[in-house]
Amino acid sequence: MSMTQTAFLKKADIPTNGQIQNTIQKLGYDFKILSGLEKQIDQDGLECSINGHQTYFETYVDLADNVIADHEADWIKPDINQDTAISFVWGADFAAGACIGLISLALIDHSNALIYYMDDQMKYSRKMLLTDTPQFLAELQKQSNRNENHQEPVKPKPTNTQTKNKFLDRLKNIFK
């Protein structure tokens, strides 16, 4: 199953990949776009790394109206006065999820982009993206710890089980 997150923005305001990378690094993340720093996001997809984990996801650039029509997303129309949509498509990959969230943040900061998670008809605010990213990174870390150790999973302390479970349930729903 793949997921689609879309940024609506004005074509004239689209930053270069290098500007996106700098914005995210200034937020304190170990983030890199691995090629094409001088160009803007296009149909070639993006190869990125977050905290040393490399990932790749598809990117599509289209007219905003086409994307709204394709997704039968009339619920978005009242918000949109942007002419361009950049769609990010990825599978069950925490690194990709974290990178797309951070790129979306950079697009909000640079271009006043509006960010939508199309599959759930959800609009993302800057604050929501800032909140979700550390959780994606925590899951990514757990995944790589499991892969390195092949040991029994550490039981979480009972005090934070409830909040963990809520987020994990959300992630499991996303990654079905």
Side-chain angles (χ1 to χ4, degrees):
M1 143 129 184
S2 69
M3 290 154 292
T4 304
Q5 189 160 305
T6 304
F8 291 92
L9 64 174
K10 290 196 171 22
K11 190 170 182 62
D13 295 340
I14 299 176
T16 65
N17 292 342
Q19 288 170 312
I20 290 172
Q21 176 178 285
N22 291 345
T23 299
I24 295 169
Q25 288 175 352
K26 281 191 188 124
L27 290 170
Y29 290 97
D30 173 12
F31 171 87
K32 291 183 192 76
I33 293 178
L34 300 176
S35 64
L37 290 179
E38 68 296 331
K39 68 180 196 172
Q40 295 175 323
I41 295 172
D42 57 22
Q43 313 297 85
D44 292 342
L46 277 179
E47 210 174 336
C48 301
S49 78
I50 182 79
N51 295 351
H53 298 272
Q54 266 185 251
T55 187
Y56 169 85
F57 44 88
E58 296 168 41
T59 55
Y60 301 95
V61 181
D62 201 350
L63 297 171
D65 289 341
N66 291 351
V67 171
I68 291 169
D70 289 349
H71 285 274
E72 295 176 0
D74 286 344
W75 53 276
I76 293 178
K77 268 198 175 133
D79 290 351
I80 302 292
N81 65 358
Q82 287 77 352
D83 55 11
T84 302
I86 300 174
S87 298
F88 303 95
V89 180
W90 80 105
D93 175 355
F94 291 113
C99 289
I100 290 165
L102 289 170
I103 290 168
S104 297
L105 263 176
L107 292 173
I108 290 172
D109 289 354
H110 265 277
S111 317
N112 287 318
L114 299 176
I115 309 297
Y116 292 91
Y117 180 60
M118 301 305 267
D119 309 313
D120 281 350
Q121 298 199 358
M122 200 164 114
K123 182 176 182 177
Y124 266 106
S125 68
R126 187 177 194 282
K127 185 176 179 199
M128 289 161 78
L129 290 164
L130 278 171
T131 304
D132 277 4
T133 300
Q135 295 174 311
F136 271 111
L137 294 176
E139 287 303 318
L140 182 61
Q141 192 53 53
K142 273 192 234 165
Q143 215 173 34
S144 62
N145 289 349
R146 276 198 300 270
N147 294 345
E148 284 165 24
N149 297 336
H150 298 294
Q151 293 171 343
E152 283 297 301
V154 179
K155 301 262 189 299
K157 294 183 191 77
T159 50
N160 60 3
T161 309
Q162 271 181 321
T163 51
K164 265 203 180 111
N165 287 348
K166 264 192 289 192
F167 180 68
L168 287 173
D169 291 341
R170 269 182 42 221
L171 274 175
K172 283 176 196 147
N173 289 338
I174 290 173
F175 290 118
K176 288 206 250 242

